[in-house]
Amino acid sequence: MKKTLNDVQVSDKKVLVRVDFNVPIKDGLITDDNRIKAAVPTIKHLVENGAKVILSSHLSRIKEEADKAKKSLAPVAKRLEKVLGQPVKFVPETRGAVLEKAINEMKPKEIILFENTRFEDVKDGEVVKFESKNNPELGKYWAGLGDIFVNDAFGTAHRAHASNVGIASNIAESCVGFLVQKELEMLAKGVDNPEHPFIAIIGGAKVSDKIGVIDNLLTKADKIIIGGGMAYTFFKAQGHKIGKSLCEEDKVELAKEYLQKANGKIILPVDSANATEFKDVTPVYSGVDLDDDVMGLDIGPKSIELFKETLKGAKTVAWNGPMGVFEFENFKKGTVGVCEAIANLGNAFTLIGGGDSAAAAIQLGFADKFTHISTGGGASLEFMEGKVLPGVEAIQNK
Ligand code: AMP
């Protein structure tokens, strides 16, 4: 068990907090401040307990010097001030005398946010990736600025960067923040120690990113429903014709292997909603053998019924990846159907593993029907794969 905020004494201490303020910014304006709000419980706890709070975050990617002008965290500091109702000092540097002086002059309960950690990825026009390749000097330097490190950025927990792993490995004390703590508890309940029957649902388009999840889930889930673009690689593995549907050829053998290993645990669609182009047109339905000129863009009505039936009585459901191109009005039925089936489960523990499935549930109006929607697409996916998250691993145990 990792240390949490309740395990550390923060009064009068310089507490470095890695948050996830990677918010969408358009023309200098923040278009969605949910990530800022999500960090508030940890920040408030630290302020109320008399800490000197030093916040850091990445914002997007920095690939060249010119990116820096648009990717400053300055507007985030302003928004955080409003959300907290307390001053937040913004330091427009990632290291050096100005930052060090600002920190040394801090009084308890004060808050500093310093500049985008990814500014360290480009120096004098050269791509150096000090932050995102976990440069050891940088992690050590940042760790030297504080007494305690709190990791509350779940979205980057699957990456070993200087601002999470680098700091954690070089500081006397570390713990996870409230947001990361909740994510870990929810993911453990939804994937590692689920109440049975446990049904996993895997869909979406990035087959190579997700196929590893199936391997881990085969050991844990009672049934694995596969839909979305993912399904066609499995159809191909079964020898079906898939027309122009999404397929990752180099994963067909792996799909065959999983189907064999699954011993009936994998539930595939039995029909498909198709179009001749990737367009929002009226679907043409077929079974699982598709004509050469069509592509499957959603599961069909019989599959929706099959999946609803499969989900009946589930006590735990973990879902990652939409059942079809839900962004198209004509191809959202499969994803809506699965959302409805999950919403009707009553007292089951239901989890969405972030990314596009979270976007789908929110867009289709089902967000409040789930027990937990993870804030980290990549991190929750790697957790579902059974991988260790380096950003969490580097934190001290209780
Ligand atoms: P992922 O990031 O892997 O969860 O993929 C999400 C994306 O998969 C969404 O944007 C969907 O539109 C897309 N998707 C789902 N089903 C299909 C399909 N049958 N063909 C192409 N794209 C799909």
mmCIF file of all heavy atoms in Angstrom, residues 203-207 209-210 227-232 245-246 273 278 295-299 320-328 335 354-357, ligand 1:
data_model
loop_
_atom_site.group_PDB
_atom_site.id
_atom_site.type_symbol
_atom_site.label_atom_id
_atom_site.label_comp_id
_atom_site.label_asym_id
_atom_site.label_seq_id
_atom_site.Cartn_x
_atom_site.Cartn_y
_atom_site.Cartn_z
ATOM 1 N N GLY A 203 -13.513 -2.315 -26.497
ATOM 2 C CA GLY A 203 -13.837 -1.892 -27.859
ATOM 3 C C GLY A 203 -12.848 -0.846 -28.317
ATOM 4 O O GLY A 203 -11.712 -0.821 -27.851
ATOM 5 N N GLY A 204 -13.293 0.019 -29.227
ATOM 6 C CA GLY A 204 -12.422 1.092 -29.705
ATOM 7 C C GLY A 204 -11.621 0.675 -30.918
ATOM 8 O O GLY A 204 -11.832 -0.405 -31.488
ATOM 9 N N ALA A 205 -10.683 1.541 -31.292
ATOM 10 C CA ALA A 205 -9.999 1.370 -32.564
ATOM 11 C C ALA A 205 -8.538 0.947 -32.426
ATOM 12 O O ALA A 205 -7.981 0.332 -33.325
ATOM 13 C CB ALA A 205 -10.087 2.673 -33.350
ATOM 14 N N LYS A 206 -7.913 1.276 -31.297
ATOM 15 C CA LYS A 206 -6.462 1.035 -31.197
ATOM 16 C C LYS A 206 -6.189 -0.392 -30.728
ATOM 17 O O LYS A 206 -5.893 -0.650 -29.555
ATOM 18 C CB LYS A 206 -5.841 2.047 -30.239
ATOM 19 C CG LYS A 206 -5.917 3.468 -30.768
ATOM 20 C CD LYS A 206 -5.215 4.429 -29.821
ATOM 21 C CE LYS A 206 -5.866 5.793 -29.844
ATOM 22 N NZ LYS A 206 -6.759 6.052 -28.688
ATOM 23 N N VAL A 207 -6.282 -1.315 -31.680
ATOM 24 C CA VAL A 207 -6.177 -2.736 -31.367
ATOM 25 C C VAL A 207 -4.850 -3.051 -30.683
ATOM 26 O O VAL A 207 -4.818 -3.702 -29.634
ATOM 27 C CB VAL A 207 -6.346 -3.595 -32.649
ATOM 28 C CG1 VAL A 207 -6.271 -5.072 -32.330
ATOM 29 C CG2 VAL A 207 -7.667 -3.265 -33.325
ATOM 30 N N ASP A 209 -2.876 -1.235 -28.982
ATOM 31 C CA ASP A 209 -2.783 -0.685 -27.618
ATOM 32 C C ASP A 209 -3.561 -1.527 -26.622
ATOM 33 O O ASP A 209 -3.246 -1.536 -25.439
ATOM 34 C CB ASP A 209 -3.403 0.721 -27.564
ATOM 35 C CG ASP A 209 -2.470 1.771 -28.107
ATOM 36 O OD1 ASP A 209 -1.402 1.380 -28.598
ATOM 37 O OD2 ASP A 209 -2.815 2.960 -28.059
ATOM 38 N N LYS A 210 -4.616 -2.161 -27.106
ATOM 39 C CA LYS A 210 -5.567 -2.757 -26.161
ATOM 40 C C LYS A 210 -5.553 -4.265 -26.081
ATOM 41 O O LYS A 210 -6.097 -4.828 -25.134
ATOM 42 C CB LYS A 210 -6.982 -2.327 -26.563
ATOM 43 C CG LYS A 210 -7.232 -0.911 -26.190
ATOM 44 C CD LYS A 210 -8.664 -0.542 -26.295
ATOM 45 C CE LYS A 210 -8.792 0.943 -26.095
ATOM 46 N NZ LYS A 210 -10.094 1.422 -26.497
ATOM 47 N N GLY A 227 -16.117 -5.503 -28.776
ATOM 48 C CA GLY A 227 -16.877 -4.802 -29.815
ATOM 49 C C GLY A 227 -16.005 -3.757 -30.472
ATOM 50 O O GLY A 227 -14.781 -3.786 -30.348
ATOM 51 N N GLY A 228 -16.633 -2.820 -31.177
ATOM 52 C CA GLY A 228 -15.887 -1.730 -31.817
ATOM 53 C C GLY A 228 -14.984 -2.242 -32.920
ATOM 54 O O GLY A 228 -15.127 -3.366 -33.413
ATOM 55 N N GLY A 229 -14.007 -1.420 -33.289
ATOM 56 C CA GLY A 229 -13.081 -1.767 -34.361
ATOM 57 C C GLY A 229 -12.284 -3.022 -34.035
ATOM 58 O O GLY A 229 -11.878 -3.791 -34.919
ATOM 59 N N MET A 230 -12.057 -3.222 -32.746
ATOM 60 C CA MET A 230 -11.340 -4.378 -32.216
ATOM 61 C C MET A 230 -11.907 -5.724 -32.701
ATOM 62 O O MET A 230 -11.175 -6.672 -32.968
ATOM 63 C CB MET A 230 -11.549 -4.273 -30.701
ATOM 64 C CG MET A 230 -10.761 -5.149 -29.894
ATOM 65 S SD MET A 230 -9.300 -4.217 -29.477
ATOM 66 C CE MET A 230 -8.576 -5.363 -28.402
ATOM 67 N N ALA A 231 -13.241 -5.783 -32.829
ATOM 68 C CA ALA A 231 -13.920 -7.057 -33.114
ATOM 69 C C ALA A 231 -13.484 -7.653 -34.457
ATOM 70 O O ALA A 231 -13.423 -8.879 -34.607
ATOM 71 C CB ALA A 231 -15.428 -6.857 -33.104
ATOM 72 N N TYR A 232 -13.161 -6.780 -35.432
ATOM 73 C CA TYR A 232 -12.925 -7.291 -36.788
ATOM 74 C C TYR A 232 -11.607 -8.067 -36.898
ATOM 75 O O TYR A 232 -11.486 -8.985 -37.700
ATOM 76 C CB TYR A 232 -13.035 -6.145 -37.815
ATOM 77 C CG TYR A 232 -14.419 -5.537 -37.739
ATOM 78 C CD1 TYR A 232 -14.698 -4.472 -36.880
ATOM 79 C CD2 TYR A 232 -15.482 -6.097 -38.452
ATOM 80 C CE1 TYR A 232 -15.980 -3.953 -36.747
ATOM 81 C CE2 TYR A 232 -16.768 -5.589 -38.324
ATOM 82 C CZ TYR A 232 -17.007 -4.522 -37.473
ATOM 83 O OH TYR A 232 -18.283 -4.033 -37.336
ATOM 84 N N SER A 245 -13.124 -3.302 -43.140
ATOM 85 C CA SER A 245 -13.148 -2.935 -41.715
ATOM 86 C C SER A 245 -11.742 -2.796 -41.154
ATOM 87 O O SER A 245 -10.782 -3.366 -41.676
ATOM 88 C CB SER A 245 -13.858 -4.006 -40.899
ATOM 89 O OG SER A 245 -15.110 -4.272 -41.418
ATOM 90 N N LEU A 246 -11.690 -2.079 -40.049
ATOM 91 C CA LEU A 246 -10.440 -1.904 -39.327
ATOM 92 C C LEU A 246 -9.852 -3.270 -38.953
ATOM 93 O O LEU A 246 -10.573 -4.139 -38.479
ATOM 94 C CB LEU A 246 -10.781 -1.169 -38.034
ATOM 95 C CG LEU A 246 -9.691 -0.384 -37.363
ATOM 96 C CD1 LEU A 246 -9.523 0.949 -38.092
ATOM 97 C CD2 LEU A 246 -10.089 -0.117 -35.922
ATOM 98 N N ALA A 273 -23.008 -3.277 -38.263
ATOM 99 C CA ALA A 273 -23.645 -2.156 -38.964
ATOM 100 C C ALA A 273 -22.579 -1.518 -39.848
ATOM 101 O O ALA A 273 -21.549 -1.057 -39.351
ATOM 102 C CB ALA A 273 -24.187 -1.153 -37.954
ATOM 103 N N PHE A 278 -16.124 5.691 -44.607
ATOM 104 C CA PHE A 278 -16.128 6.136 -43.211
ATOM 105 C C PHE A 278 -16.941 7.430 -43.135
ATOM 106 O O PHE A 278 -16.411 8.531 -43.077
ATOM 107 C CB PHE A 278 -14.695 6.364 -42.738
ATOM 108 C CG PHE A 278 -14.594 6.562 -41.252
ATOM 109 C CD1 PHE A 278 -14.640 5.470 -40.393
ATOM 110 C CD2 PHE A 278 -14.478 7.836 -40.695
ATOM 111 C CE1 PHE A 278 -14.561 5.644 -39.007
ATOM 112 C CE2 PHE A 278 -14.401 8.015 -39.320
ATOM 113 C CZ PHE A 278 -14.439 6.918 -38.481
ATOM 114 N N MET A 295 -17.340 -1.519 -44.719
ATOM 115 C CA MET A 295 -16.589 -1.544 -43.453
ATOM 116 C C MET A 295 -17.576 -1.525 -42.294
ATOM 117 O O MET A 295 -18.600 -0.841 -42.355
ATOM 118 C CB MET A 295 -15.643 -0.355 -43.361
ATOM 119 C CG MET A 295 -16.293 0.997 -43.553
ATOM 120 S SD MET A 295 -15.098 2.341 -43.341
ATOM 121 C CE MET A 295 -14.261 2.302 -44.897
ATOM 122 N N GLY A 296 -17.265 -2.296 -41.271
ATOM 123 C CA GLY A 296 -18.134 -2.348 -40.102
ATOM 124 C C GLY A 296 -17.838 -1.163 -39.198
ATOM 125 O O GLY A 296 -16.701 -0.952 -38.800
ATOM 126 N N LEU A 297 -18.885 -0.382 -38.889
ATOM 127 C CA LEU A 297 -18.671 0.811 -38.057
ATOM 128 C C LEU A 297 -19.397 0.745 -36.718
ATOM 129 O O LEU A 297 -19.289 1.652 -35.896
ATOM 130 C CB LEU A 297 -19.084 2.082 -38.824
ATOM 131 C CG LEU A 297 -18.279 2.383 -40.087
ATOM 132 C CD1 LEU A 297 -18.764 3.675 -40.748
ATOM 133 C CD2 LEU A 297 -16.786 2.502 -39.789
ATOM 134 N N ASP A 298 -20.177 -0.311 -36.517
ATOM 135 C CA ASP A 298 -20.855 -0.473 -35.228
ATOM 136 C C ASP A 298 -21.290 -1.932 -35.118
ATOM 137 O O ASP A 298 -21.340 -2.656 -36.120
ATOM 138 C CB ASP A 298 -22.087 0.446 -35.161
ATOM 139 C CG ASP A 298 -22.665 0.584 -33.741
ATOM 140 O OD1 ASP A 298 -22.026 0.091 -32.784
ATOM 141 O OD2 ASP A 298 -23.743 1.199 -33.606
ATOM 142 N N ILE A 299 -21.634 -2.339 -33.878
ATOM 143 C CA ILE A 299 -22.236 -3.666 -33.731
ATOM 144 C C ILE A 299 -23.705 -3.561 -34.156
ATOM 145 O O ILE A 299 -24.296 -2.481 -34.090
ATOM 146 C CB ILE A 299 -22.100 -4.192 -32.270
ATOM 147 C CG1 ILE A 299 -22.745 -3.231 -31.268
ATOM 148 C CG2 ILE A 299 -20.634 -4.420 -31.932
ATOM 149 C CD1 ILE A 299 -22.819 -3.767 -29.835
ATOM 150 N N ASN A 320 -13.719 -0.402 -21.531
ATOM 151 C CA ASN A 320 -12.760 0.460 -22.210
ATOM 152 C C ASN A 320 -12.933 0.351 -23.721
ATOM 153 O O ASN A 320 -12.673 -0.699 -24.297
ATOM 154 C CB ASN A 320 -11.318 0.089 -21.824
ATOM 155 C CG ASN A 320 -10.353 1.176 -22.222
ATOM 156 O OD1 ASN A 320 -10.341 1.602 -23.370
ATOM 157 N ND2 ASN A 320 -9.558 1.645 -21.287
ATOM 158 N N GLY A 321 -13.386 1.435 -24.329
ATOM 159 C CA GLY A 321 -13.500 1.484 -25.789
ATOM 160 C C GLY A 321 -14.927 1.336 -26.285
ATOM 161 O O GLY A 321 -15.599 0.366 -25.961
ATOM 162 N N PRO A 322 -15.382 2.306 -27.099
ATOM 163 C CA PRO A 322 -16.756 2.283 -27.618
ATOM 164 C C PRO A 322 -17.025 1.099 -28.565
ATOM 165 O O PRO A 322 -16.103 0.520 -29.131
ATOM 166 C CB PRO A 322 -16.884 3.612 -28.355
ATOM 167 C CG PRO A 322 -15.492 4.088 -28.588
ATOM 168 C CD PRO A 322 -14.638 3.502 -27.516
ATOM 169 N N MET A 323 -18.303 0.761 -28.706
ATOM 170 C CA MET A 323 -18.722 -0.389 -29.524
ATOM 171 C C MET A 323 -18.764 -0.068 -31.015
ATOM 172 O O MET A 323 -18.939 -0.962 -31.857
ATOM 173 C CB MET A 323 -20.122 -0.866 -29.088
ATOM 174 C CG MET A 323 -20.178 -1.405 -27.677
ATOM 175 S SD MET A 323 -19.248 -2.952 -27.501
ATOM 176 C CE MET A 323 -17.715 -2.363 -26.829
ATOM 177 N N GLY A 324 -18.691 1.220 -31.335
ATOM 178 C CA GLY A 324 -18.714 1.629 -32.736
ATOM 179 C C GLY A 324 -18.300 3.082 -32.833
ATOM 180 O O GLY A 324 -17.832 3.670 -31.855
ATOM 181 N N VAL A 325 -18.476 3.658 -34.013
ATOM 182 C CA VAL A 325 -18.112 5.062 -34.213
ATOM 183 C C VAL A 325 -19.241 5.917 -33.615
ATOM 184 O O VAL A 325 -20.105 6.416 -34.333
ATOM 185 C CB VAL A 325 -17.878 5.362 -35.715
ATOM 186 C CG1 VAL A 325 -17.376 6.786 -35.913
ATOM 187 C CG2 VAL A 325 -16.849 4.383 -36.290
ATOM 188 N N PHE A 326 -19.215 6.061 -32.285
ATOM 189 C CA PHE A 326 -20.322 6.726 -31.575
ATOM 190 C C PHE A 326 -20.430 8.204 -31.937
ATOM 191 O O PHE A 326 -21.456 8.830 -31.713
ATOM 192 C CB PHE A 326 -20.151 6.580 -30.049
ATOM 193 C CG PHE A 326 -19.018 7.405 -29.505
ATOM 194 C CD1 PHE A 326 -19.249 8.675 -28.979
ATOM 195 C CD2 PHE A 326 -17.713 6.937 -29.546
ATOM 196 C CE1 PHE A 326 -18.199 9.451 -28.498
ATOM 197 C CE2 PHE A 326 -16.660 7.707 -29.065
ATOM 198 C CZ PHE A 326 -16.900 8.966 -28.545
ATOM 199 N N GLU A 327 -19.343 8.758 -32.511
ATOM 200 C CA GLU A 327 -19.376 10.166 -32.913
ATOM 201 C C GLU A 327 -20.357 10.366 -34.078
ATOM 202 O O GLU A 327 -20.821 11.480 -34.313
ATOM 203 C CB GLU A 327 -17.983 10.639 -33.362
ATOM 204 C CG GLU A 327 -16.897 10.566 -32.273
ATOM 205 C CD GLU A 327 -16.118 9.245 -32.290
ATOM 206 O OE1 GLU A 327 -16.659 8.227 -32.767
ATOM 207 O OE2 GLU A 327 -14.978 9.238 -31.790
ATOM 208 N N PHE A 328 -20.666 9.299 -34.817
ATOM 209 C CA PHE A 328 -21.646 9.367 -35.922
ATOM 210 C C PHE A 328 -23.018 8.978 -35.376
ATOM 211 O O PHE A 328 -23.167 7.904 -34.780
ATOM 212 C CB PHE A 328 -21.283 8.385 -37.050
ATOM 213 C CG PHE A 328 -20.055 8.740 -37.854
ATOM 214 C CD1 PHE A 328 -19.485 7.802 -38.724
ATOM 215 C CD2 PHE A 328 -19.465 9.999 -37.774
ATOM 216 C CE1 PHE A 328 -18.355 8.106 -39.482
ATOM 217 C CE2 PHE A 328 -18.334 10.314 -38.522
ATOM 218 C CZ PHE A 328 -17.774 9.362 -39.377
ATOM 219 N N THR A 335 -22.970 1.548 -28.763
ATOM 220 C CA THR A 335 -22.393 2.144 -27.548
ATOM 221 C C THR A 335 -23.510 2.572 -26.593
ATOM 222 O O THR A 335 -23.424 2.342 -25.382
ATOM 223 C CB THR A 335 -21.488 3.342 -27.941
ATOM 224 O OG1 THR A 335 -20.540 2.876 -28.906
ATOM 225 C CG2 THR A 335 -20.742 3.893 -26.750
ATOM 226 N N GLY A 354 -11.560 5.544 -18.742
ATOM 227 C CA GLY A 354 -11.090 6.799 -19.327
ATOM 228 C C GLY A 354 -11.116 6.850 -20.845
ATOM 229 O O GLY A 354 -11.747 6.016 -21.495
ATOM 230 N N GLY A 355 -10.419 7.829 -21.404
ATOM 231 C CA GLY A 355 -10.273 7.981 -22.845
ATOM 232 C C GLY A 355 -11.597 8.139 -23.568
ATOM 233 O O GLY A 355 -12.497 8.825 -23.097
ATOM 234 N N ASP A 356 -11.714 7.467 -24.722
ATOM 235 C CA ASP A 356 -12.882 7.646 -25.582
ATOM 236 C C ASP A 356 -14.165 7.057 -25.014
ATOM 237 O O ASP A 356 -15.247 7.523 -25.329
ATOM 238 C CB ASP A 356 -12.631 7.034 -26.959
ATOM 239 C CG ASP A 356 -11.906 8.014 -27.852
ATOM 240 O OD1 ASP A 356 -12.387 9.149 -27.981
ATOM 241 O OD2 ASP A 356 -10.860 7.651 -28.398
ATOM 242 N N SER A 357 -14.063 6.015 -24.194
ATOM 243 C CA SER A 357 -15.296 5.466 -23.617
ATOM 244 C C SER A 357 -15.875 6.445 -22.608
ATOM 245 O O SER A 357 -17.088 6.590 -22.490
ATOM 246 C CB SER A 357 -15.083 4.101 -22.975
ATOM 247 O OG SER A 357 -13.751 3.749 -22.943
HETATM 248 P P1 AMP B 1 -9.935 3.891 -28.698
HETATM 249 O O1 AMP B 1 -9.151 5.142 -28.479
HETATM 250 O O2 AMP B 1 -9.121 2.720 -29.055
HETATM 251 O O3 AMP B 1 -10.874 3.634 -27.521
HETATM 252 O O4 AMP B 1 -10.849 4.153 -29.947
HETATM 253 C C1 AMP B 1 -11.938 5.020 -29.902
HETATM 254 C C2 AMP B 1 -12.375 5.311 -31.287
HETATM 255 O O5 AMP B 1 -12.699 4.092 -31.916
HETATM 256 C C3 AMP B 1 -13.612 6.175 -31.388
HETATM 257 O O6 AMP B 1 -13.248 7.411 -31.905
HETATM 258 C C4 AMP B 1 -14.518 5.405 -32.339
HETATM 259 O O7 AMP B 1 -15.081 6.222 -33.331
HETATM 260 C C5 AMP B 1 -13.586 4.394 -32.961
HETATM 261 N N1 AMP B 1 -14.247 3.164 -33.432
HETATM 262 C C6 AMP B 1 -15.066 2.363 -32.722
HETATM 263 N N2 AMP B 1 -15.517 1.357 -33.488
HETATM 264 C C7 AMP B 1 -14.963 1.516 -34.712
HETATM 265 C C8 AMP B 1 -15.048 0.783 -35.939
HETATM 266 N N3 AMP B 1 -15.796 -0.300 -36.052
HETATM 267 N N4 AMP B 1 -14.332 1.245 -36.973
HETATM 268 C C9 AMP B 1 -13.570 2.360 -36.869
HETATM 269 N N5 AMP B 1 -13.450 3.085 -35.745
HETATM 270 C C10 AMP B 1 -14.147 2.671 -34.674
#
